[in-house]
Amino acid sequence: MKLGVNVDHVATLRQARGGRTPDPVEAARLCEKVGAHSIVMHLREDRRHIQDEDLFRAQKSLSIKLNLEMSIAPSVVKVARRLRPDQVTLVPEKRMERTTEGGLDLSRKKEALKRVIRGLEAKNVEVSLFIDPDARQIETAKALAAPAVEFHTGDYANAASAGAIQKELKRLDKAVRLAGEYGIKAHAGHGLDYHNVKAIRRIKGLEELNIGYSIVCRAVWVGWENAVQEMLDLIR
Ligand code: PXP
């Protein structure tokens, strides 16, 4: 199982004072150094953390995969087409949300999504769709010929009882299997931490986990490289 480290909140810290430090690209370089498999950066329309120039610097200085998370807003799609990252993960985005609250409802925006996916593929960018672990969404991802999906693990992360946790794990396991039957690569992320990741890593067929917030929090106590290393050790 591979680890993609989301460095958005390193940029959140930088933006708090509007300066140059801490630099999310330097954080990304250190992730690569300790063995992370990819870097995730979310370019939000409001540019609240990652800035356009962070993406272009990261693209230049990384050898591992750069996964650009974004909505299908035309201005952001334009940046992606210029950047041509290895991968784009399409997510829903609401201005007032603190973080991505749920997966895309693919059937509601099927035609627009199809245009964006095909446009990015023409630039050699692989597209992944961030969806809830629901059969209906996976069927639509298949109809859109998406090569990959990322399952939103927020419901699992927020589950409060042992029963609810088991229910969400079963839901994720079933979704990963269905994606596998359709030849769609399965990734997962959102709200994963050093405790709840242990059950997730046992799901067969999951190729990649994308984790950000918990790693940034852990880094406050043990340092950035150690925090990334600890997560890598857990999912290996
Ligand atoms: N994957 C996707 C698609 C996301 O939107 C996010 C949050 O930006 C993450 C993974 C990482 O979530 P977290 O920061 O909660 O680990």
Side-chain angles (χ1 to χ4, degrees):
M1 194 174 276
K2 292 180 177 168
L3 174 66
V5 180
N6 181 319
V7 295
D8 292 350
H9 296 305
V10 176
T12 301
L13 209 52
R14 177 191 61 190
Q15 298 308 105
R17 288 289 166 99
R20 296 158 82 90
T21 184
D23 179 8
V25 178
E26 181 56 22
R29 276 194 218 108
L30 292 171
C31 289
E32 177 169 337
K33 186 180 140 203
V34 298
H37 304 91
S38 57
I39 298 300
V40 184
M41 290 181 162
H42 185 169
L43 188 69
R44 281 189 168 265
E45 265 191 283
D46 62 10
R47 306 297 197 270
R48 69 171 74 157
H49 38 54
I50 294 296
Q51 307 297 307
D52 301 40
E53 64 101 17
D54 295 328
L55 296 169
F56 288 90
R57 283 191 302 123
Q59 175 85 316
K60 253 196 206 151
S61 56
L62 293 175
S63 308
I64 53 174
K65 176 171 93 171
L66 177 62
N67 178 2
L68 168 61
E69 219 184 273
M70 59 177 226
S71 71
I72 56 168
S75 61
V76 181
V77 173
K78 215 163 144 189
V79 177
R81 288 174 61 89
R82 249 189 329 119
L83 179 72
R84 300 168 79 156
D86 305 282
Q87 189 183 317
V88 156
T89 300
L90 296 177
V91 302
E93 199 175 294
K94 291 189 212 131
R95 274 288 157 98
M96 300 308 286
E97 68 187 356
R98 281 185 190 216
T99 181
T100 318
E101 286 167 351
L104 285 162
D105 185 353
L106 299 182
S107 50
R108 273 190 56 216
K109 299 210 166 155
K110 209 167 162 189
E111 288 312 310
L113 282 164
K114 201 188 280 177
R115 272 197 304 279
V116 172
I117 296 169
R118 298 291 95 83
L120 289 169
E121 278 175 353
K123 299 269 181 192
N124 278 328
V125 179
E126 181 171 284
V127 179
S128 174
L129 303 173
F130 190 45
I131 56 174
D132 291 328
D134 292 337
R136 196 169 58 89
Q137 299 298 341
I138 303 164
E139 304 283 350
T140 316
K142 178 177 176 250
L144 285 164
V149 292
E150 178 173 335
F151 292 116
H152 192 295
T153 48
D155 286 344
Y156 163 69
N158 292 331
S161 67
I165 291 169
Q166 283 314 312
K167 189 173 151 226
E168 289 304 324
L169 281 171
K170 271 194 194 141
R171 195 174 155 218
L172 283 161
D173 183 64
K174 210 169 140 192
V176 171
R177 271 189 284 128
L178 184 60
E181 281 168 27
Y182 291 155
I184 301 173
K185 286 185 236 176
H187 308 155
H190 207 279
L192 296 180
D193 61 30
Y194 294 80
H195 302 287
N196 66 21
V197 79
K198 290 175 192 161
I200 290 286
R201 71 176 176 197
R202 292 191 205 107
I203 297 177
K204 283 203 181 76
L206 253 186
E207 293 192 13
E208 172 186 295
L209 300 180
N210 293 310
I211 306 178
Y213 183 72
S214 64
I215 295 177
V216 175
C217 293
R218 180 81 182 137
V220 171
W221 310 117
V222 302
W224 180 248
E225 286 169 76
N226 289 331
V228 175
Q229 187 68 63
E230 284 180 14
M231 189 58 85
L232 274 167
D233 291 346
L234 276 175
I235 71 170
R236 258 177 197 144

